[in-house]
Amino acid sequence: MAYFLLRLEPPRPSFPFDATDAEKALFSAHSGYWMEEAASGAAIAVGPVFESGGTWGLALVEAADAAQAQALGAADPVVMAQAGFRYRVSPVPSLILRH
């Protein structure tokens, strides 16, 4: 197994501070999806990252390969809804994990 960083890019830099009701509902499904992936062991850590240029989402996952990591992002309800969110997938070639 290998590790990958999935970076969720929002539809605009001001998100989530100006999220619409529809986006809030999508994010409820998004949260549930990643909670299930964490319970199954695929997701190691998931959460928002607040930077000065805007917020983005982080999902650190363990997958067999890049295609499987990409599939995890593609199955996220916010991506499936085609609401302007997209993942960038990057390999993490080495990772030190706490025990």
Side-chain angles (χ1 to χ4, degrees):
M1 294 296 251
Y3 300 104
F4 297 87
L5 173 68
L6 280 65
R7 180 182 170 122
L8 180 62
E9 302 288 344
R12 58 192 174 280
S14 55
F15 186 86
F17 305 107
D18 60 353
T20 66
D21 288 340
E23 289 170 335
K24 290 175 186 175
L26 271 177
F27 257 73
S28 178
H30 162 81
S31 179
Y33 170 76
W34 283 111
M35 289 174 81
E36 289 178 12
E37 293 302 327
S40 76
I44 298 166
V46 179
V49 178
F50 290 170
E51 290 185 330
S52 60
T55 301
W56 55 276
L58 171 149
L60 181 61
V61 303
E62 187 172 13
D65 54 28
Q68 186 181 35
Q70 187 71 42
L72 284 168
D76 185 333
V78 297
V79 172
M80 292 179 65
Q82 298 181 346
F85 297 89
R86 68 179 185 89
Y87 279 103
R88 290 189 330 191
V89 178
S90 302
V92 180
S94 177
L95 187 64
I96 297 171
L97 296 169
R98 69 177 176 191
H99 295 278

